[in-house]
Amino acid sequence: MALPIVSSLWVGPDLSWIEQLSLASFLHHGHRVKLYSYGEINGVPDGVERVDAASVYEPTDDIRQNAGPSMTADLFRLHLVHDTDEVWIDTDMVAVKALTKNENGFAIAYERQGKAICNAVLGAPRHSAAVQYLLDYCNDPHDQPGWLRPRLRNQLSGVPKEQLISTLFKVKRASLGPMALAYALRETGEVSEVRPRQAYFSVPWQFADVLFNPYGGTEGWMSEETEAVHLWSSALSSFHKTNRPHPESFVGALQQKLGIDVSHLKIP
């Protein structure tokens, strides 16, 4: 069976070495990799296919002006998995082996087992009830979303319908992200398709430093179920982003294997 195409969206001018590492790692394991964007990007690894993001989702003027790139990405990934057979990846996911869908066409995993579900990897069949549930809400936000706490829902009272989605971003930045996905999966019964966290999130964000640690590092964190690892870029210290990774760490060894240029980074 052919491997799924893995895809992401980049809103910004340049890819850092971390995004390059992510995309190159999936290429290395045999995937076709697509990077969608609304403009020009520098630093895209050879072999990654560049695609106009507007062919999948064109943000409204309200979203462009009043919501950030993270909400655009949350909306984009829903349209992507609804309209294509591609699997969304955040650009700080790195492949450990080829990424697969389960027998029903899903690629979703827990971040905290049995509790939080993360959307940094998102694959679903086109008929997914959960994805349709969220898109229906985004296309017709007629009421306050059930996945928000009452205190946050109250902040949406009286907001005009045409401004409700962008206001969600102001109320809670990730309001259309993991919590919305988890709610929709549970509402539709598709939560049974969610894999154990070891599939993609075996290293919690609180312990992301182990991926850069040459002394022990990831030993004990990964298993045979692990297909990808989240680097948790938003939680990483600036040290890890601006210094060359240790060559004997998980990240450093992968960076050398894939030939990602880090010569511009500081030597720790």
Side-chain angles (χ1 to χ4, degrees), residues 203 207-222 246-251:
V203 180
F207 294 95
D209 282 354
V210 304
L211 299 166
F212 294 79
N213 180 6
Y215 306 110
T218 57
E219 291 180 14
W221 289 101
M222 301 185 196
H246 194 289
E248 295 180 21
S249 67
F250 169 82
V251 170

Side-chain angles (χ1 to χ4, degrees), residues 205-267:
W205 68 266
Q206 298 94 330
F207 294 95
D209 282 354
V210 304
L211 299 166
F212 294 79
N213 180 6
Y215 306 110
T218 57
E219 291 180 14
W221 289 101
M222 301 185 196
S223 70
E224 287 299 313
E225 296 178 78
T226 303
E227 296 180 351
V229 176
H230 201 178
L231 300 186
W232 304 106
S233 180
S234 62
L236 286 180
S237 70
S238 60
F239 178 88
H240 291 316
K241 296 179 180 181
T242 59
N243 286 270
R244 299 179 190 180
H246 194 289
E248 295 180 21
S249 67
F250 169 82
V251 170
L254 186 61
Q255 169 263 317
Q256 292 180 95
K257 183 176 184 179
L258 300 179
I260 303 301
D261 181 17
V262 294
S263 61
H264 59 291
L265 300 179
K266 293 182 287 188
I267 300 174

Side-chain angles (χ1 to χ4, degrees), residues 15 151 192 227 242:
L15 297 185
R151 176 179 61 82
S192 61
E227 296 180 351
T242 59

